[in-house]
Structures are given as structure tokens and as C-alpha cells.
Amino acid sequence: MTEWLIWLSWPLLLAGMFFFISGTLGVLRFPDVYSRLHAVTKADTLGLGLLAAGLALRSDGWQPALLMLLIWLLVMVSSATACQLLARHQREFDSDGGAETSASQKPEEQHDQR
Amino acid sequence: MINADLLFDLTLILLLLGLAVAAIHAPKLYTSIVMFIVFGLMLALTWARLGATDLALAEAGIGAGLIGVMLLSAMGRSPPEPASRSRPLQHIASLTLAVLVLLLLTRAAIPLLDASPLLPQQVAQELDNSGVSHPVTAVLLNFRAWDTLLELVVLLLALLGVRQLQPSTGPRPQAWPLLVAWSRVIAPLVVMVGGYLLWSGSHAPGGAFQAGVVLAAGVVTLRLSGLLPNIGWHQWPLRALVLVGVALFSLVAATSAWLGEGWLAYPREWSGGLILSIEIAATLSIAAALTLLVIGDTEELAA
């Protein structure tokens, strides 16, 4: 019974790792902030969900699985919010014509969401 | 064949060292701060890897989270940084100092490797008398409660020191609607998690500092999104909240010295309740003090 659940978890874990790695590659390789945000939030959220599903198949009971599901939901909501805030900051920065204090303008708002 | 644990630990060590160097030597202050925050998260992971969950929680909350916000807001207030000059003599001096400190620490740490530590056994023996079932909380609030009392005093002194400097900021920009909505969503979660951490401190990792940090982070978010009214030192409830931890702790210490067996030696049947009330007061004080440290009360000073 548990043996085949462990085998079933491998594809999920490997797919999760694949999405994390491709999200990281996207951050490193994509040209602008928007596409980088796209890569990091979408790919990482999916990767985390797959990892959580894979680990849930290996967990002892339903409580750890439920906990991981809740954590995944929280991360999903917070990364979506952080992505929107960062993108909006970048858009305002772009429409300002790029003031020199780009990094320091609204650091609190950006940081709070992580 | 290297096993997976060792590989993970070595990667973590290399990451820590790399991030530490990057935080100090990054060309821009902003990069340094981001590196410092990531360093704090990795350090929290290291503590968790060593089995010190309490420290991991505190490091992630205070070291990476709140100090990161403090550094970023300090950078927002400070004038643009001057171009950094390379001073080789200074680098050599600091490198020598670092090597000396490393040698001293290594000399202090090597005897610990093969000596069997006595303290965990002593704590385990006395745990039943402490009033709580989590050894870390027993040490922090019973066996070595004096240290924790002084930590609270240090936090209070830091807050007073920052108040003397009276940092000034302009008016805060209008918060975006998404941030406001998000703050509304997470505020109840913050209260729940903070309360859980405080409550679980008696039997599992958690406690006053961790709960205080979570509450402070929630208050800071609400304040930044403009959902809370201006918080300032001039409000006496806030001052009372900042002081209540140290005040209750000192009161317990003085009472136990006067009526009981000695300074901070709790009567056995009372110790559970006393520890819980001190933890609650300390959580409120830590949350209030950290909130004031991060967002300050500059608007009323500027007015």
C-alpha cells in the first residue's frame, strides 16, 4: 500500500524540482522585471505545489498533508500579491522616466510581502 | 560516496559564507541589504538543521524580517551613498582581526567536540520542577530568567536610543489598494499565528520573542497600508505596553526575592502561571517595541 504511494510521489517531486529550476533560470536569463516576476512567481508556486503534493503522499497521516496544503495556499496568495506590487512599482518607476532612487523608493512595501 | 545530509550541510555553509562576503562587499547598499536578508534566512535554515527550532524562528523573524525592513527604511531615509573608496590598509586590518577572532572561536569550540555536555542532562532532570515542558522555555524563563529579563531591558534601551536620534521622514505615500486588501487578509492570520506561538512556547518551540515578532510584523504591515491610525510614543497606552514586560518581570523578581527563596526563584506550584503571564507581557512589550523601532513615530514629531 505505502510502497506504491512512495513510487507515485517521485514524478511529483521531480516535476516540482523541474519547475523550481526553470523558474530560477527564468530569473537569471529573462530580460526585464515583468517577465522575471512571471517566471519566479508562477513557476515557483507550481513547483511548491507539486513538491507539497509529493511530500503529502509520503506523510504519515492527513494532518501534515493538510498543513502543507494550507502553507501552499498561503504562499500562492502572498507570491501573487507580491508579484503585483513589484510589477506596479516597476511600472510607476518606468512612467517616472527612471528617477535615480529606483531601489530605495518603496522598499518597505516590497519587502513586507515576502 | 557523500551522503545527502553532508552535501546539504556543505552547500548551506558555502552559501552562508558567500552571502556574508557579498553582503559586506556588494557595490551598492541596496544589494548589501538584500544579501543580508537572504543570509538571515539561510542562517535560520542552519539553525533548523541543527535542531534549534526556537532560534530558527527568531532568526527568520527578527534577523531576516524585521531587521531587513529596518535597514531598507533606514536606507530610504539616508542621503545617497558616496562613492566607495578602496582602502587596502583597512581591508588588511579587518582581515587580520577576522582571522584572530576565528582562531579564538575555534580554540573555544574544539573542546566542546569531545566533552560530553552536562547542561542538557541537568535541564532534563529539573524540567519537571520548571512549570513548563519545553526545555528551551524552561531555560529562558526559569533557570536563566535573569538573562531574558536583561534582554528585554536591552530592547527597551535600543528603543530609547533610537528615540534620542529622532529620525525624520517625509509623509508616507498613499498605500496601493492591493496592499491594503492584502493587509486586511493577513491581519487575522498574524494574530492567530502569534497567539499560537505564544501558547505553544510552554511545550513546543515558540515563545515570547517569536510571537512578538509576528505581531509586530502584522502591525507594521497594517500601519504601512494606512489601516491603523498613527502610532506614537505620546500615547500612554503604547508606552505602558512597551514597559509592561520589563515591569512585570522585575516585579516578579523583586517579589520572589522579598517573600520567596530568592531573586527570580519561583515557588514551584506557581511557576507555570508565572511563566505564562511573564510570556504574555513580554510578547506585548516586544511587539510594541519592535513596531516602534521599525516604523517609528516620526509623523507626530514632524507635525
Side-chain angles (χ1 to χ4, degrees):
Chain A
M1 172 65 190
T2 47
E3 186 70 20
W4 65 269
L5 276 184
I6 287 181
W7 279 108
L8 201 63
S9 73
W10 272 116
L12 290 171
L13 293 177
L14 287 176
M17 278 193 276
F18 168 76
F19 277 107
F20 264 108
I21 291 171
S22 40
T24 313
L25 270 182
V27 175
L28 292 175
R29 301 291 302 168
F30 279 169
D32 61 13
V33 172
Y34 305 108
S35 40
R36 274 186 231 146
L37 277 174
H38 178 82
V40 75
T41 52
K42 287 205 174 69
D44 279 11
T45 308
L46 185 56
L48 186 68
L50 287 168
L51 278 187
L55 291 176
L57 287 182
R58 292 173 165 235
S59 61
D60 309 324
W62 56 271
Q63 285 108 333
L66 185 68
L67 207 60
M68 279 189 277
L69 177 71
L70 286 177
I71 291 173
W72 179 55
L73 285 177
L74 189 66
V75 169
M76 188 154 60
V77 178
S78 67
S79 80
T81 315
C83 173
Q84 292 290 326
L85 289 174
L86 284 169
R88 176 161 179 178
H89 177 248
Q90 181 65 26
R91 199 185 63 190
E92 292 200 349
F93 171 64
D94 285 345
S95 63
D96 282 352
E100 71 271 33
T101 51
S102 66
S104 62
Q105 220 152 32
K106 291 182 181 76
E108 291 107 327
E109 278 93 331
Q110 288 176 12
H111 179 74
D112 257 8
Q113 307 304 323
R114 298 217 177 113
Chain B
M1 179 71 193
I2 305 175
N3 66 32
D5 284 355
L6 189 63
L7 196 64
F8 182 76
D9 290 348
L10 284 178
T11 317
L12 206 55
I13 291 171
L14 284 180
L15 260 178
L16 275 179
L17 287 175
L19 284 168
V21 171
I24 296 172
H25 290 288
K28 281 169 63 182
L29 262 182
Y30 183 71
T31 322
S32 294
I33 294 174
V34 173
M35 289 297 161
F36 178 80
I37 293 169
V38 182
F39 176 81
L41 286 176
M42 289 299 135
L43 197 58
L45 202 56
T46 313
W47 285 123
R49 185 80 187 92
L50 290 169
T53 321
D54 294 81
L55 265 176
L57 284 171
E59 174 62 38
I62 304 180
L66 282 183
I67 294 184
V69 179
M70 261 185 243
L71 288 175
L72 283 174
S73 63
M75 200 185 86
R77 286 173 202 178
S78 55
E81 57 192 300
S84 63
R85 288 159 295 167
S86 160
R87 282 164 291 193
L89 204 64
Q90 212 176 19
H91 282 304
I92 293 169
S94 55
L95 199 65
T96 321
L97 193 65
V99 169
L100 283 177
V101 170
L102 187 68
L103 282 178
L104 278 177
L105 284 177
T106 319
R107 268 197 57 185
I110 280 180
L112 296 176
L113 282 179
D114 41 25
S116 65
L118 287 172
L119 281 174
Q121 288 172 17
Q122 290 176 349
V123 170
Q125 272 174 12
E126 291 293 317
L127 193 57
D128 289 339
N129 299 331
S130 69
V132 289
S133 59
H134 185 50
V136 176
T137 312
V139 170
L140 284 181
L141 282 156
N142 198 334
F143 308 145
R144 306 280 307 174
W146 183 225
D147 295 5
T148 311
L149 173 57
L150 287 183
E151 270 172 31
L152 289 180
V153 175
V154 166
L155 190 60
L156 191 63
L157 285 177
L159 181 61
L160 292 179
V162 170
R163 275 195 54 75
Q164 301 312 308
L165 294 174
Q166 297 196 344
S168 62
T169 48
R172 237 168 251 298
Q174 187 73 30
W176 294 330
L178 184 62
L179 183 65
V180 176
W182 175 238
S183 314
R184 278 187 213 278
V185 172
I186 59 167
L189 276 178
V190 160
V191 173
M192 191 184 73
V193 172
Y196 173 75
L197 280 174
L198 172 62
W199 170 78
S200 73
S202 63
H203 57 88
F209 265 91
Q210 291 86 349
V213 172
V214 171
L215 288 181
V219 177
V220 168
T221 314
L222 284 178
R223 182 71 198 99
L224 285 180
S225 59
L227 285 173
L228 277 185
N230 195 8
I231 304 171
W233 188 250
H234 61 288
Q235 294 154 330
W236 68 263
L238 191 73
R239 269 177 290 179
L241 215 55
V242 169
L243 287 173
V244 69
V246 174
L248 185 71
F249 219 148
S250 318
L251 187 70
V252 169
T255 318
S256 62
W258 186 31
L259 300 173
E261 292 163 28
W263 187 252
L264 281 171
Y266 313 133
R268 197 181 149 179
E269 62 271 23
W270 286 26
S271 52
L274 279 178
I275 288 178
L276 189 64
S277 26
I278 291 175
E279 286 240 62
I280 292 173
T283 303
L284 293 176
S285 287
I286 291 166
L290 287 176
T291 307
L292 277 181
L293 271 178
V294 173
I295 57 176
D297 51 348
T298 47
E299 274 141 305
E300 56 108 4
L301 290 174

